[in-house]
Amino acid sequence: MQITGTCYLAAIGTEPFPVDISKGINGYTVSLPEGCSNVEMTIKLKDNNSQDTPTGVTWTYTKDGRLEEDLEVESDSNGGLSITSDKITALPTGSVSLHLIAHYDDKNLEFDVTIHVRELGDTEWTRSTSSEASPIIIEL
């Protein structure tokens, strides 16, 4: 299984900038930075022999946890599972557990994925003076 995606961060007074969430993945646990927005994640099956993404995969799932209402989960037309959210809480608490079943090649493959919110680190563009942050200039 492969999990990929992005989210956006913005210090006060700066334009939002993308963050690759794959750096926050440990096995089947995804760590999203507190206060992120525009989360777009995709989960796909991978063929261990060829590393290709198989086609014809359908998904069923259940979700449970504090972030359950913040995340939208749906199958996409390419055989992946799409997870999106407009905004994630600015408090480093909460998680959601996803029990996924991939239906593929007359088999049911089950996975448990956890998505949780973690605290921002000191080096993660938490200041508007960061080189990654573009200040918003308002002239009156």
Side-chain angles (χ1 to χ4, degrees), residues 40-58:
E40 294 182 3
M41 253 186 293
T42 303
I43 297 176
K44 293 185 177 184
L45 284 183
K46 294 294 277 185
D47 184 328
N48 286 337
N49 296 325
S50 66
Q51 293 301 311
D52 291 334
T53 303
T55 57
V57 178
T58 59

Side-chain angles (χ1 to χ4, degrees), residues 1-7 21-22 24-34 36 39-43 61-74 81-85 87-89 91-100 111-119:
M1 189 171 74
Q2 178 186 36
I3 303 171
T4 58
T6 58
C7 63
I21 65 165
S22 64
I25 297 174
N26 183 7
Y28 295 147
T29 301
V30 179
S31 298
L32 295 176
E34 62 181 322
C36 66
V39 176
E40 294 182 3
M41 253 186 293
T42 303
I43 297 176
Y61 64 90
T62 57
K63 59 181 179 174
D64 181 44
R66 192 166 179 180
L67 297 176
E68 181 178 350
E69 295 178 10
D70 292 341
L71 297 171
E72 296 294 325
V73 182
E74 60 186 41
L81 191 67
S82 174
I83 302 170
T84 59
S85 178
K87 61 185 176 355
I88 296 294
T89 179
L91 300 174
T93 58
S95 65
V96 65
S97 297
L98 300 173
H99 181 72
L100 309 176
F111 305 93
D112 290 312
V113 175
T114 302
I115 301 170
H116 73 90
V117 179
R118 65 170 173 76
E119 188 173 316

Side-chain angles (χ1 to χ4, degrees), residues 8-19 34-37 120-122 124-136:
Y8 284 78
L9 285 175
I12 295 172
T14 65
E15 293 284 334
F17 54 90
V19 174
E34 62 181 322
C36 66
S37 62
L120 283 173
D122 288 337
E124 290 189 286
W125 315 292
T126 57
R127 299 183 189 151
S128 61
T129 57
S130 168
S131 62
E132 289 83 3
S134 299
I136 298 172

